[in-house]
Amino acid sequence: MSSVTKSPPAVIRCQTCGKEIPLGADSCPACGRHHSESSPRLTLAILLILIFAGFAFTQYVVRLHRATEASLAKRWFNRGNQDMQANLPSLAAEDYRTALSYDRENRQYTLSLAEALLAANRMNEARSHLTSLWEEEPASGEVNLALARLHVRRGDRARAIGYYNNAINGVWDEQPRQQRIAARFELVRYLMQQHDLAEAQAELMALQADGPPDPSDQLLLGQMLLQANDPKRAIDAYDIVLRNDPRNADAWLGKGLAALQIGDYLAAERALATALEHDPNSEQARQQLDLVREVLRIGPAFRGLSLAERTQRVAEAFSAALKRLTGCAAQQGYSLAAPDTAKAGARASAAKTMSLPTVEATTPAPSNLQQLYTSGVQKQASATDAALRRNPDALEPTMQYVFEVERTAASICPTMDLTDRALLTLAQNESETVK
Amino acid sequence: MSTSEPVVAKPKDASGIKPAVSTPTRRQYWSSLRTMLSPQRFSLREEQFFLLLAVLIGIGSGLAVVCFRMSIEYLKLHLLGSGLLPSVPRVFLAPMLTGLVIAFLVIRFFPRARGSGVNQTKAALYIYDGYIPMPTVIGKFITSALAIGSGQSLGPEDPSLQIGAGIASALGRRLKLSREKLRLIAPVGAAAGLAAAFNAPITAVLFVIEEVIGRWTAGILGAVVLSAISSAVIERWFLGDEPLFRVPAYHLEHAGELGAYASLGVIGGFASLAFVKYIAYLRPRLRQLPSWTQYFQPAAAGLLIGLIGIKFPQVMGAGYSYMDQAMHEQYTWQILAILGALKIVTTGLSFSSGTPGGLFAPVLFMGAMIGGAVGMAERQLVPQLAIPVGAYALVGMGTLFAGILRAPMTSVFMILEVSGNYSIIVPVILSNAIAYFISRTFQPTPIFDLLSRQDGMDLPSLEEEREVPLLRVEDAMRPPLGQTLTGKLLLHEARQRVQGSAQDYFVVGMGGDEWSGMSRAVLLDMIPNSDIPLSQVLTARIPYLHPDHPLDTALRLIGGRPMLPVVHRAHVQQLLGVVSLDDVMRAYRGAGINESHPEPAPVVP
């Protein structure tokens, strides 16, 4: 043990009242308490024992307190989760905040708090918490994803995409592959909302290369590829699903739609028919199948058709287009003027022949409709079955006119019958091919 | 340390011939062991023992403060409930009813527990020879835990400081330290207590040096640092090493931001002033009331705080979690400003009513809220300054700390330590300096001095000492008139030179860094026409001074000599002037007339 070399003595004060005790006196003159002499070495020994005892006691107290805090934190966190499920984000934020006050280092609580604040539209608070978390762990996938969502809501596109990419390449504690795939899907959705199809397609290509293991993800991938105007890749994605689950009606439907978009109507018909077979209640499959069949019925450009069949189809399409044009004008209350008075009789007879509706319209039609109508009336004589047979070179220009009518009318009159939808589909695929 | 080594007696056989291998007996073993473990072998000089004791004090204080904090948490949980926003009945009743209990305990059992722990530690250092009674420590522990746990607007740091000081004082007395060491032991414990409370050892050391000891003393610094560190280690052992606040990321991106922080310094300075003036007004008036009212003053304060707490529960207790929220932009600037103002009101009520507890946490709370309010308001006014509000709140804390507690260095280091962010140092220094200047200009007496004077004590303060101008040798020295001599001069040459001079004493440059001196009479008494150089005659050397030396140094060195040379620091042989005892005394007298010692502020009755 230690001892202290002698030095000037301290003033001895009473332990109770603090008054000075004269040297040599045994008790305090003020309060009478006995003044005990104890050796420094004994005091040090007692001190060490007390420190050990204090250490053990403090350890016990702290452990007890920690257990209480952990239980309270969990309770408040669960309450927060319940409030979030009940769509009460402000209340949930308070609960998470309380949970966090008992377990300040818990990143999950902080993240949940930030998400609740985000849901409650308290952007600045959410940003502050998320920024703190990001500073601590910039590679965290969860934090980057939450920050991306924050910036999506703030309308900061560049930062949102940056954080989404960080999340996709970041560190995830649980199920990292699935989390990264989900984050990329979210990014694709955001890009599509932003009408940035090129970027969305690039992300979808990356997703396809990664090959989501989950069939539902593959299905989603196919749908998104379809939305992003990449039907060929969509078919690949659906094929992967169908390889594992050939009875998946959604995959057959998606494949049919993709084939329809490409212009592979036969494949589309097969796929849609199979989809309907596996899910007879699918209204979409039924409608799309009807459409494809109508396309196959009216389309004049399919291989194997004779000239007679082609001319007949073109003539029918022309007739339907002209009807669509006048019908649309009548529907919108536009008056279509005849090309000139000399031909007024021809127009009237044409209307009679084609059973065109006669509308008491007063508003002049937009110039494009009027031009198409004028052109149609002029073409009418050369667009009959017989005339087309005589002049097969007119097939192509006539069909171009039909497509032009269908496209224009679709932008003015969204409702249309099955034949017009079929012609519009052909028109769209035609323009895709041209592109 | 003693150098005595254990001595083992070497046995000799009867023939006196040393055996090849000597085998010690059991008795000899015991003897050698006793010698090895003898107190003399392990005896320590008092300085070394003091350092060891500082570590033990740090450990003990750390344990006590951890238990103290646990007690506060436990009481808070049971008195105010587990939610951050307590229920109305609890908010209303807990501080009031606990206030009655606290008043009873303080008046009946622990009368010294009320008041500032900082001042009591200072009083122990300067008045009571380091004596802090153990019952006061126990009382401070219990009553402060009750007060803070029940929602009184006070903090745990000040009581922790006093608990540490009390433990140190008790140990020092038990170990019969010398009077000088016993006086210094209380600040050592104070640093330990504060370090554990703040989880910030550097802050604790600086605060104790700035506020408690009041001077930089090398003798105590080592012990203070050791105790603070060991205490912080204990605190981190049990409670983890997480910083006090989760501070959002901040980088000074543009110098223009400093203008925004300067405005915070101005607002913080006036807020500090308002708080100190409010305490200075309210505390003596509450103490003047009849003594029976002291039983009800803490309860009345608790009632008012509870009423405020129904709408703004954030102002109750130490409020660290709410400071964290302010940093994370949970409140609008209006709410932050209201919370800052209400905290000034509630802390003044709690503290002036005699409820035991500290000012540190409330001051930080005020700073966080006012800083946050300024930050958010500025963000709305000048959106280009995209400074995070958390940075403002953090700087605000330092600003109010510097403005109210008037410990500028501590305030800067505290912010660095609690935030762990060194990018913020420039804004902190700027804002603190402005607030400190405003506070000092309009309130010359710092709050701790004000409180001690209200309690009838006049304790020294570092700030006031800083005000006293330090006299230096350059203030007293005069140019070297007449002849100066060098050691190379021959005796007869020297005689010739001094014969025509009116001086009685000459300083002699001996070459190198040595100076000597001789009187005219002695020189003239020597053999004339001698070719001996002066350096051979003058063997005694005299000390020399530099112009920047404190005048006290001249006073100590001059002794019985008529004068001392004042020389250039870079060229020691270049004589700049001389200084005599008369010169020194004249300088002191002049300073006494022209720049009188600042008068202490009048004691508010």
Side-chain angles (χ1 to χ4, degrees):
Chain A
M1 299 301 296
S2 8
S3 68
V4 187
T5 50
K6 275 293 168 193
S7 52
V11 172
I12 300 166
R13 288 184 183 273
C14 174
Q15 297 289 320
T16 310
C17 66
K19 294 277 186 291
E20 276 193 33
I21 298 171
L23 282 173
D26 286 342
S27 59
C28 172
C31 66
R33 183 180 156 153
H34 182 71
H35 166 66
S36 62
E37 288 279 348
S38 58
S39 81
R41 247 181 290 165
L42 180 64
T43 308
L44 265 182
I46 293 169
L47 173 64
L48 284 175
I49 291 166
L50 280 175
I51 282 176
F52 280 115
F55 212 89
F57 175 74
T58 310
Q59 185 81 47
Y60 170 74
V61 168
V62 169
R63 200 169 285 173
L64 203 66
H65 182 70
R66 288 264 188 244
T68 311
E69 279 194 330
S71 137
L72 282 170
K74 208 169 178 182
R75 193 198 300 171
W76 282 101
F77 180 67
N78 290 337
R79 198 180 283 188
N81 288 343
Q82 284 168 9
D83 285 336
M84 276 299 271
Q85 280 168 6
N87 201 22
L88 299 166
S90 289
L91 265 182
E94 286 310 315
D95 297 335
Y96 288 136
R97 212 188 289 284
T98 310
L100 206 55
S101 74
Y102 291 111
D103 190 357
R104 289 180 52 203
E105 290 296 288
N106 193 311
R107 293 172 47 77
Q108 180 59 47
Y109 294 175
T110 313
L111 201 58
S112 299
L113 170 61
E115 282 166 356
L117 291 168
L118 205 57
N121 219 20
R122 286 149 73 174
M123 299 291 181
N124 286 341
E125 287 175 66
R127 183 177 55 83
S128 178
H129 283 289
L130 288 172
T131 309
S132 297
L133 281 174
W134 192 87
E135 279 287 315
E136 285 170 25
E137 214 175 332
S140 164
E142 279 179 300
V143 175
N144 278 295
L145 185 61
L147 275 166
R149 286 170 183 164
L150 174 89
H151 287 292
V152 165
R153 297 187 65 156
R154 288 165 70 101
D156 189 340
R157 185 175 182 278
R159 285 195 180 174
I161 292 174
Y163 283 117
Y164 270 126
N165 283 319
N166 288 351
I168 290 162
N169 300 311
V171 178
W172 294 85
D173 296 332
E174 289 173 8
Q175 299 181 317
R177 191 163 175 225
Q178 281 90 333
Q179 300 280 13
R180 287 191 186 107
I181 287 167
R184 206 185 281 275
F185 272 127
E186 199 172 318
L187 170 60
V188 171
R189 269 188 223 106
Y190 174 63
L191 290 169
M192 284 180 168
Q193 278 169 13
Q194 298 285 306
H195 306 292
D196 190 348
L197 289 187
E199 283 285 326
Q201 277 178 358
E203 292 298 332
L204 287 168
M205 278 167 67
L207 258 177
Q208 201 163 29
D210 193 28
D214 193 347
S216 63
D217 282 342
Q218 279 289 354
L219 203 59
L220 185 62
L221 177 64
Q223 286 166 0
M224 289 198 147
L225 282 163
L226 206 53
Q227 284 172 28
N229 286 339
D230 195 348
K232 285 180 182 164
R233 290 183 192 280
I235 288 172
D236 293 342
Y238 288 124
D239 281 342
I240 291 172
V241 179
L242 292 170
R243 216 173 291 148
N244 298 319
D245 180 13
R247 300 180 63 80
N248 191 318
D250 289 334
W252 281 115
L253 173 63
K255 189 177 175 180
L257 293 173
L260 188 61
Q261 217 174 75
I262 291 168
D264 187 352
Y265 301 107
L266 288 172
E269 191 201 13
R270 276 197 304 275
L272 290 167
T274 317
L276 200 60
E277 186 186 319
H278 292 309
D279 182 8
N281 296 323
S282 171
E283 193 54 35
Q284 194 188 3
R286 189 181 305 282
Q287 284 177 5
Q288 294 299 322
L289 182 61
D290 290 346
L291 175 67
V292 171
R293 284 181 176 160
E294 182 65 8
V295 167
L296 288 171
R297 187 188 70 77
I298 203 165
F302 298 124
R303 282 181 194 169
L305 290 177
S306 65
L307 180 64
E309 282 172 318
R310 278 180 206 277
T311 53
Q312 187 204 338
R313 287 183 180 206
V314 171
E316 189 184 343
F318 180 80
S319 169
L322 215 53
K323 196 175 169 185
R324 166 85 168 137
L325 192 64
T326 50
C328 178
Q331 198 181 335
Q332 299 296 322
Y334 298 138
S335 65
L336 290 168
D340 53 46
T341 47
K343 291 182 179 173
R347 179 186 164 246
S349 70
K352 202 174 175 183
T353 317
M354 291 188 281
S355 312
L356 296 179
T358 50
V359 181
E360 294 297 323
T362 52
T363 315
S367 59
N368 54 349
L369 270 190
Q370 181 60 57
Q371 279 172 7
L372 281 170
Y373 181 69
T374 307
S375 171
V377 171
Q378 286 165 353
K379 281 179 188 286
Q380 206 171 10
S382 59
T384 60
D385 189 13
L388 289 168
R389 273 190 212 176
R390 282 195 300 276
N391 180 20
D393 290 343
L395 283 173
E396 180 66 26
T398 307
M399 274 317 285
Q400 287 304 324
Y401 171 76
V402 170
F403 292 154
E404 187 68 28
V405 168
E406 290 297 341
R407 282 190 211 111
T408 309
S411 64
I412 298 167
C413 308
T415 51
M416 62 191 93
D417 64 16
L418 186 62
T419 306
D420 287 320
R421 276 174 55 212
L423 288 171
L424 184 63
T425 307
L426 285 168
Q428 283 167 346
N429 281 338
E430 190 270 344
S431 50
E432 285 298 316
T433 314
V434 170
K435 280 180 197 171
Chain B
M1 186 183 284
S2 167
T3 53
S4 60
E5 293 294 327
V7 178
V8 181
K10 292 174 181 166
K12 287 181 181 175
D13 63 5
S15 64
I17 300 166
K18 204 165 90 175
V21 178
S22 62
T23 313
T25 63
R26 181 182 291 181
R27 195 173 177 179
Q28 286 159 351
Y29 267 128
W30 279 116
S31 166
S32 66
L33 193 65
R34 264 202 303 276
T35 316
M36 280 172 71
L37 298 176
S38 69
Q40 285 73 29
R41 183 178 168 79
F42 286 93
S43 70
L44 300 168
R45 281 188 286 115
E46 191 172 29
E47 285 73 26
Q48 293 167 323
F49 180 72
F50 195 65
L51 292 178
L52 173 68
L53 192 59
V55 175
L56 295 176
I57 287 169
I59 294 170
S61 301
L63 291 171
V65 171
V66 169
C67 289
F68 178 58
R69 283 179 59 177
M70 292 294 105
S71 310
I72 292 172
E73 292 298 320
Y74 179 84
L75 286 165
K76 183 174 167 252
L77 202 60
H78 287 85
L79 292 172
L80 294 175
S82 67
L84 273 182
L85 302 174
S87 64
V88 172
R90 281 176 187 266
V91 169
F92 186 69
L93 292 173
M96 183 179 64
L97 296 178
T98 318
L100 287 172
V101 177
I102 290 167
F104 179 76
L105 288 173
V106 167
I107 294 167
R108 286 299 177 99
F109 301 106
F110 312 112
R112 292 191 195 183
R114 67 183 296 165
S116 158
V118 175
N119 277 349
Q120 292 203 2
T121 309
K122 266 175 101 168
L125 174 64
Y126 289 107
I127 301 173
Y128 302 117
D129 297 323
Y131 179 78
I132 297 173
M134 205 56 197
T136 300
V137 176
I138 295 166
K140 198 83 177 183
F141 188 113
I142 295 169
T143 54
S144 298
L146 274 169
I148 300 162
S150 68
Q152 291 271 7
S153 181
L154 295 163
E157 295 81 13
D158 198 332
S160 300
L161 182 146
Q162 198 178 353
I163 288 167
I167 289 172
S169 169
L171 267 175
R173 292 197 305 272
R174 286 274 172 199
L175 292 165
K176 298 183 177 58
L177 294 184
S178 67
R179 182 192 291 245
E180 187 199 344
K181 294 293 180 199
L182 197 55
R183 275 193 193 135
L184 292 175
I185 199 102
V188 171
L194 192 58
F198 253 140
N199 188 11
I202 300 171
T203 305
V205 170
L206 285 174
F207 183 79
V208 166
I209 297 285
E210 270 195 305
E211 268 307 319
V212 180
I213 301 172
R215 63 177 184 272
W216 290 91
T217 318
I220 187 78
L221 193 60
V224 168
V225 169
L226 273 178
S227 71
I229 288 172
S230 46
S231 169
V233 167
I234 291 293
E235 194 266 354
R236 288 177 191 191
W237 175 288
F238 287 107
L239 303 180
D241 59 355
E242 60 190 75
L244 210 52
F245 306 107
R246 292 170 303 129
V247 184
Y250 167 74
H251 305 286
L252 186 68
E253 285 173 6
H254 191 269
E257 293 174 18
L258 292 175
Y261 289 112
S263 66
L264 173 57
V266 173
I267 294 167
F270 283 108
S272 308
L273 197 62
F275 180 71
V276 179
K277 294 277 184 196
Y278 169 51
I279 294 268
Y281 174 83
L282 186 63
R283 190 167 178 260
R285 272 154 191 81
L286 288 180
R287 296 185 82 172
Q288 275 178 343
L289 294 174
S291 58
W292 62 266
T293 62
Q294 291 188 0
Y295 279 99
F296 302 99
Q297 284 183 15
L303 176 68
L304 289 171
I305 290 164
L307 287 173
I308 294 170
I310 291 170
K311 180 76 180 161
F312 296 102
Q314 295 91 341
V315 297
M316 299 177 79
Y320 279 120
S321 54
Y322 300 110
M323 293 181 222
D324 202 68
Q325 290 175 18
M327 284 187 187
H328 290 90
E329 305 180 30
Q330 194 197 336
Y331 306 112
T332 59
W333 74 266
Q334 292 93 335
I335 294 285
L336 287 169
I338 290 169
L339 287 176
L342 286 176
K343 194 70 177 178
I344 291 177
V345 174
T346 52
T347 306
L349 284 170
S350 286
F351 192 77
S352 301
S353 69
T355 311
L359 289 175
F360 284 55
V363 165
L364 295 182
F365 185 102
M366 291 168 208
M369 299 302 151
I370 291 169
V374 171
M376 290 197 115
E378 278 182 357
R379 185 189 278 180
Q380 285 185 9
L381 291 171
V382 193
Q384 295 84 354
L385 286 177
I387 309 170
V389 172
Y392 272 101
L394 198 63
V395 174
M397 286 184 197
T399 305
L400 271 278
F401 199 93
I404 293 173
L405 302 180
R406 300 269 274 275
M409 278 185 66
T410 308
S411 67
V412 171
F413 277 87
M414 181 193 67
I415 297 303
L416 297 186
E417 216 172 1
V418 299
S419 70
N421 185 341
Y422 288 85
S423 310
I424 208 145
I425 189 163
V426 177
V428 169
I429 289 175
L430 176 73
S431 184
N432 286 15
I434 293 170
Y436 182 73
F437 173 75
I438 290 171
S439 181
R440 255 188 60 175
T441 306
F442 296 103
Q443 173 65 41
T445 313
I447 190 164
F448 287 122
D449 294 350
L450 188 82
L451 296 173
S452 63
R453 284 168 196 174
Q454 284 179 354
D455 294 340
M457 295 183 286
D458 188 6
L459 298 170
S461 106
L462 186 63
E463 185 173 295
E464 285 182 352
E465 278 181 21
R466 276 197 296 259
E467 295 299 306
V468 181
L470 180 66
L471 285 178
R472 299 184 185 280
V473 169
E474 64 193 2
D475 299 321
M477 74 182 201
R478 54 194 157 85
L481 296 169
Q483 296 290 340
T484 51
L485 305 177
T486 63
K488 289 175 187 167
L489 282 175
L490 302 177
L491 212 51
H492 68 90
E493 292 171 339
R495 280 172 63 98
Q496 280 174 3
R497 286 201 184 187
V498 303
Q499 267 172 351
S501 171
Q503 284 176 255
D504 286 335
Y505 189 82
F506 300 88
V507 290
V508 183
M510 303 301 287
D513 61 347
E514 293 185 335
W515 285 85
S516 187
M518 70 189 305
S519 69
R520 177 195 176 89
V522 171
L523 187 60
L524 292 176
D525 280 352
M526 289 182 179
I527 309 157
N529 302 324
S530 170
D531 285 340
I532 306 167
L534 266 181
S535 56
Q536 284 189 18
V537 180
L538 292 171
T539 51
R541 300 288 180 261
I542 60 171
Y544 55 83
L545 294 161
H546 296 299
D548 60 298
H549 269 136
L551 209 50
D552 294 0
T553 311
L555 205 55
R556 274 190 276 115
L557 292 180
I558 205 159
R561 299 176 189 95
M563 64 177 67
L564 290 179
V566 182
V567 300
H568 198 280
R569 273 202 182 269
H571 310 286
V572 181
Q573 273 306 305
Q574 186 182 339
L575 186 68
L576 298 173
V578 291
V579 65
S580 67
L581 190 60
D582 279 348
D583 297 329
V584 173
M585 298 315 291
R586 200 177 304 117
Y588 274 125
R589 276 197 295 272
I593 294 161
N594 299 327
E595 296 175 68
S596 59
H597 190 287
E599 287 296 318
V603 176
V604 182

